[in-house]
Amino acid sequence: MKTLVILAHPNLEVSRVNQRWKEELLQYPNDITIHEIYKEYPNWNIDVPREQNLVEAYHHVILQFPLYWYSYPPLLKKWFDDVFAYGWAYGTNGDKLIGKKLGLAMSIGDKKENYLPGGSVSFTVDEVITPFKASTGHVGAVALPYFAVFGASFQASDEEINQSAKEYINYIFKHQQ
Ligand SMILES: Cc1cc2nc3c(=O)[nH]c(=O)nc-3n(C[C@H](O)[C@H](O)[C@H](O)COP(=O)(O)O)c2cc1C
């Protein structure tokens, strides 16, 4: 197994994008492990040693989620808070993430042009994800360029979502080494 995908979607059964992406990831069981945290932890009681052991086993980790309020769905934020702990991710002996490659794969409801300079969102996606990039730097990991599909709320057609699923796999394999 070469890539770990932490998939965080609170309602995967009504998802178009993340569900389709998951189906595509499942085509590569020798290369990609999917870990669905909303399924694993319905009570939000995260098994921290289990998660840390899982992350330690991979050099390449992707966090896949729908963008909610320009941020992570809440269980993924909790996952960071719990798993990226002192003495493991940072601080004394906190060296477990040094050199690992971390990436974000996001479905974004709004249109791409609204995230361009001068667009209605007022911030680019790279600006929106600065907390991720700062966190990655803090733990000595490498932040990969993000992968995203835009218009995920309404505009994106089934064809575009299918195409994005193929591009997502290419993105994963490109950064796997
Ligand atoms: C609570 C909530 C917050 C959202 N916040 C944003 C947002 O900040 N920016 C945005 O572009 N889309 C936002 N959306 C739209 C989601 O990103 C979109 O529904 C999702 O990416 C679709 O992916 P899915 O088909 O896998 O569910 C939000 C949706 C919900 C339900």
Side-chain angles (χ1 to χ4, degrees), residues 70 110-125 127-128:
Y70 308 101
D110 214 343
K111 289 183 273 186
K112 187 172 192 171
E113 54 262 39
N114 293 339
Y115 286 90
L116 295 176
S120 64
V121 175
S122 304
F123 298 97
T124 66
V125 174
E127 289 168 335
V128 168

Side-chain angles (χ1 to χ4, degrees), residues 30-176:
N30 295 326
D31 298 295
I32 300 170
T33 300
I34 308 171
H35 187 61
E36 286 180 56
I37 57 173
Y38 274 93
K39 189 165 108 185
E40 298 290 335
Y41 302 111
N43 300 322
W44 292 34
N45 196 1
I46 294 172
D47 181 341
V48 173
R50 176 183 177 223
E51 297 299 304
Q52 291 177 338
N53 286 335
L54 187 63
V55 172
E56 283 179 39
Y58 292 82
H59 184 60
H60 183 214
V61 180
I62 301 293
L63 305 155
Q64 179 190 320
F65 57 93
L67 191 68
Y68 281 0
W69 291 111
Y70 308 101
S71 187
Y72 309 112
L75 185 58
L76 183 55
K77 174 59 166 62
K78 184 175 193 296
W79 185 89
F80 269 106
D81 293 354
D82 290 2
V83 178
F84 282 30
Y86 180 90
W88 185 80
Y90 69 99
T92 307
N93 300 322
D95 58 1
K96 300 298 187 292
L97 295 168
I98 292 175
K100 286 193 192 291
K101 296 197 277 189
L102 305 185
L104 302 181
M106 296 169 281
S107 63
I108 297 179
D110 214 343
K111 289 183 273 186
K112 187 172 192 171
E113 54 262 39
N114 293 339
Y115 286 90
L116 295 176
S120 64
V121 175
S122 304
F123 298 97
T124 66
V125 174
D126 263 311
E127 289 168 335
V128 168
I129 65 170
T130 47
F132 168 74
K133 291 193 274 190
S135 303
T136 308
H138 194 79
V139 300
V142 178
L144 297 173
Y146 70 85
F147 178 82
V149 69
F150 294 86
S153 291
F154 306 109
Q155 293 93 355
S157 65
D158 289 348
E159 195 179 323
E160 285 167 327
I161 292 172
N162 283 334
Q163 178 63 26
S164 76
K166 307 286 179 205
E167 290 167 3
Y168 182 27
I169 298 298
N170 290 340
Y171 164 82
I172 287 179
F173 285 151
K174 180 177 167 192
H175 295 289
Q176 212 170 46

